[in-house]
Amino acid sequence: MTGSVPGRCCQPRLGAGRGVRGRRDAGRSRYPACSGAGGGAAMKLKLKNVFLAYFLVSIAGLLYALVQLGQPCDCLPPLRAAAEQLRQKDLRISQLQAELRRPPPAPAQPPEPEALPTIYVVTPTYARLVQKAELVRLSQTLSLVPRLHWLLVEDAESPTPLVSGLLAASGLLFTHLVVLTPKAQRLREGEPGWVHPRGVEQRNKALDWLRGRGGAVGGEKDPPPPGTQGVVYFADDDNTYSRELVAIGCWVRVWPVGLVGGLRFEGPQVQDGRVVGFHTAWEPNRPFPVDMAGFAVALPLLLAKPNAQFDSTAPRGHLESSLLSHLVDPKDLEPRAANCTGVAYTDREAQDEAGGAAAAAGPGLRPSN
């Protein structure tokens, strides 16, 4: 007889004829329907609670946002500050763009050429491998200077095509002169350059032309008329010069010269605007221990001293003194180049090492009697 036991609605029936295996299988599936129904109800209850909590939180957030819509906002000052920064940046960009569009300022106008004295640059030259290269370099520097007259004097019997052609193509106002160095004064092969000073006859030939003694073979052949205001400067063709070098309206002016005499520079020592000595390594007791590139002379002073010239028999290092001793006393030398703190360079590659460039300007000095 089979039947159901109260309280166990899903208990399986047990047959009378089943053995041990039947009871074991029956035990494995006891209460299946009853367990599944209870778990599903609990899961539904948990999901309801989650959705309810999410709904309540959302409603609370929405209500808070609606309440804040009516409240005053304190974010206006930061927004104004950010807007002001952007405005300042836009203004600066506009200013920079305007500066880029603005034409560059016109350079300071130099004095009118007619108001400047003429600069007479005396250059002796002789035939050698680098002659043309050095003359081209010098001529291009001189072409930057207004009212310049180049006196180029060849050490030759007659003018050479090389020098004549170079002068014609230079675009400069020039006078071509020629004079041959006497045989007794020429350097023999292998002799050092200090045995006989080079260029003495050529410089004196230029002084003769300035004094109206003729001799020009090319270019401007008439000497400067009486009363001409000018400056005479002796520029060797193997040196390098600044276009600001030569003084105007001076009697005798001096300045330092770079890389000469075994020194970084040599030149006058100045105190209170006056020359009190010379910085030099070679015979500092010379009357004028200066380099040929370290002085300029007023043309009226040279014309007033017709016997002043270079002496080919002067001792070594005294060639400059042989001319200057006829023109001026050492105490009357006028220092230039910022009281001789700059340098008139003879080597362009050493400019950064030796110091600033030499300029020349200012009042003149009285000549010696």
Side-chain angles (χ1 to χ4, degrees):
M1 177 178 178
T2 61
S4 60
V5 179
R8 295 189 179 182
C9 57
C10 300
Q11 184 176 2
R13 299 172 184 166
L14 297 177
R18 288 189 178 180
V20 177
R21 182 176 180 181
R23 290 194 300 271
R24 188 179 300 161
D25 295 338
R28 292 175 181 172
S29 57
R30 188 175 295 176
Y31 316 125
C34 201
S35 298
M43 182 61 69
K44 289 180 180 179
L45 179 60
K46 289 181 180 180
L47 290 175
K48 279 184 181 180
N49 293 338
V50 169
F51 283 124
L52 180 60
Y54 179 78
F55 177 75
L56 293 176
V57 170
S58 300
I59 290 297
L62 180 61
L63 292 175
Y64 178 79
L66 292 174
V67 170
Q68 292 298 320
L69 288 176
Q71 299 297 324
C73 180
D74 59 351
C75 59
L76 193 56
L79 291 176
R80 286 178 177 173
E84 180 63 20
Q85 290 181 353
L86 291 175
R87 191 185 70 81
Q88 292 294 337
K89 289 182 179 179
D90 290 341
L91 180 61
R92 181 56 180 162
I93 291 174
S94 300
Q95 292 175 347
L96 292 175
Q97 290 176 340
E99 291 178 3
L100 290 175
R101 291 191 295 267
R102 186 181 306 141
Q109 295 297 322
E112 291 296 327
E114 292 76 11
L116 298 174
T118 300
I119 302 171
Y120 295 92
V121 177
V122 177
T123 302
T125 187
Y126 65 99
R128 61 197 187 280
L129 181 63
V130 297
Q131 181 186 26
K132 182 175 182 180
E134 292 184 332
L135 287 176
V136 167
R137 178 185 61 185
L138 179 58
S139 68
Q140 291 180 352
T141 300
L142 299 181
S143 66
L144 303 174
V145 182
R147 292 187 65 82
L148 184 140
H149 190 143
W150 194 15
L151 308 182
L152 188 57
V153 191
E154 285 194 79
D155 186 352
E157 293 181 350
S158 58
T160 63
L162 185 151
V163 175
S164 298
L166 187 145
L167 285 170
S170 68
L172 293 165
L173 175 62
F174 69 89
T175 294
H176 190 181
L177 301 164
V178 175
V179 61
L180 183 65
T181 300
K183 187 175 181 180
Q185 298 177 16
R186 296 181 197 170
L187 289 173
R188 298 183 181 90
E189 186 175 355
E191 280 188 327
W194 51 264
V195 174
H196 296 291
R198 193 190 296 275
V200 177
E201 297 296 325
Q202 289 70 41
R203 296 185 185 97
N204 286 336
K205 183 69 173 180
L207 295 179
D208 288 342
W209 180 84
L210 288 170
R211 291 166 175 149
R213 298 170 187 169
V217 297
E220 179 61 46
K221 297 186 178 181
D222 294 329
T228 299
Q229 297 299 312
V231 177
V232 180
Y233 181 67
F234 301 95
D236 293 347
D237 60 0
D238 58 348
N239 289 345
T240 301
Y241 302 94
S242 166
R243 66 175 180 174
E244 299 175 324
L245 177 65
V246 181
I248 58 175
C250 69
W251 288 108
V252 176
R253 287 181 171 173
V254 290
W255 46 75
V257 177
L259 302 180
V260 64
L263 301 176
R264 288 181 60 196
F265 72 93
E266 70 173 21
Q269 296 174 337
V270 180
Q271 183 177 353
D272 298 328
R274 309 295 294 181
V275 176
V276 297
F278 291 87
H279 173 70
T280 181
W282 173 255
E283 290 193 22
N285 294 325
R286 288 174 290 163
F288 294 88
V290 297
D291 186 80
M292 190 68 68
F295 66 92
V297 182
L299 176 63
L301 179 58
L302 278 172
L303 299 181
K305 303 286 185 176
N307 295 324
Q309 63 178 5
F310 294 97
D311 184 2
S312 61
T313 63
R316 178 185 177 188
H318 288 248
L319 185 62
E320 295 84 357
S321 298
S322 68
L323 172 70
L324 294 175
S325 296
H326 292 284
L327 300 174
V328 68
D329 292 328
K331 62 182 177 62
D332 290 329
L333 293 174
E334 183 179 356
R336 299 312 303 163
N339 275 337
C340 297
T341 57
V343 175
Y345 295 97
T346 59
D347 188 337
R348 183 179 300 276
E349 294 179 355
Q351 290 186 10
D352 291 338
E353 179 183 359
L365 288 175
R366 65 186 186 281
S368 63
N369 294 325

